Amino acid sequence: MKSDTFWRYATLAPAVILFVLLTILPLFNLAALSFHNVEWINREAVWEWVGLRNYAKLPNDTLFNAGILNTILFAVVAVAFQMVLGFWLALMTTRVTRLRVFYRTVFILPILVPGIVIGAIWKLMYSYDFGIINQVILWFGGNPVDWLGNPDLALMSVIIVDVWHWTPFCFLLMLASLESLPQDIFEAAEIDGARRWQVLRYIILPLMMPAIIVTFIFRMILAFKVFDEIYLLTGGGPGTSTEVISFTIYRRFFTEDQSGYGSAMSLATIAVIATMIILASRFATRKGPEQ
């Protein structure tokens, strides 16, 4: 028994060590950095203790507040559409008998495209002067729209790109969950005369709830970390209409060289995101059995 216990810990040790080196230690270093102001003098980092001063600046930071609000709005709207579309596509695909492989391949193509390519493609499509979207609008007799330059439309335009990019991720997880459901339950429901919407509400959704919750958590985490689409399409503008928190932190760290303040902002963001995801997952778990 002792030998088995030793080997269990021994086989787990490399993963634990890697986790500590790549996650725990950087997090402690980030926390320590948040209580300091760092300046580079003669090519050396000079740490000056400032206590909670960096955290006290956060409530009055316009970019930070705009970044938090835009990130929450972006994550909620984008993930909601991705979950619904991913589930609908998975449901439709399971009912297709011909060309099933073709449809699945087409649906997952967007997630295979690198982010830099997606940014370039959609920036060209959104172009005010020669973008294909405005060309179609002109063809139907409308006026061109400044999709990325209008503060009222910029965030929505980025959300559309994110929905197009990440819906295949939700589709794959939903499809795997759907195809793993026991078929005898559906046969029994058909014999009992259950309608399609009844099967969906009382059988499919309750059985898929664990997969739905996992997909939701994964996508919320990734949505809160959005950066490349904002950086490539709008750069946080116009104004602060598409300023997200990851882009704000990037500004503080690399553009303005405020490492201490950027660290405080990062920890505050981690706390906000963790709290929201925990509350959302508990709410979804509690509501699951009732459905």
Side-chain angles (χ1 to χ4, degrees), residues 5-27:
T5 303
F6 169 77
W7 282 111
R8 288 174 186 173
Y9 285 112
T11 53
L12 188 61
V16 173
I17 293 173
L18 190 65
F19 177 76
V20 170
L21 291 177
L22 298 181
T23 305
I24 303 300
L25 289 182
L27 191 60

Side-chain angles (χ1 to χ4, degrees), residues 3 117 165 174 184 211 216 228:
S3 177
V117 178
H165 186 197
M174 298 289 188
D184 54 344
F216 170 78
D228 51 351

Side-chain angles (χ1 to χ4, degrees), residues 26 33 41 45 51 92 101 125 129 132 136 138 166 189 193 251 283:
L33 190 60
I41 301 176
M92 294 299 102
V101 176
M125 292 174 61
D129 297 316
I132 187 172
V136 172
L138 288 172
W166 286 106
R251 291 179 191 267
F283 176 81

Side-chain angles (χ1 to χ4, degrees), residues 240-261:
T240 59
S241 59
T242 60
E243 184 79 22
V244 292
I245 194 60
S246 58
F247 195 74
T248 308
I249 294 172
Y250 163 79
R251 291 179 191 267
R252 299 301 187 224
F253 265 104
F254 300 105
T255 305
E256 302 172 4
D257 197 22
Q258 299 184 49
S259 302
Y261 183 48

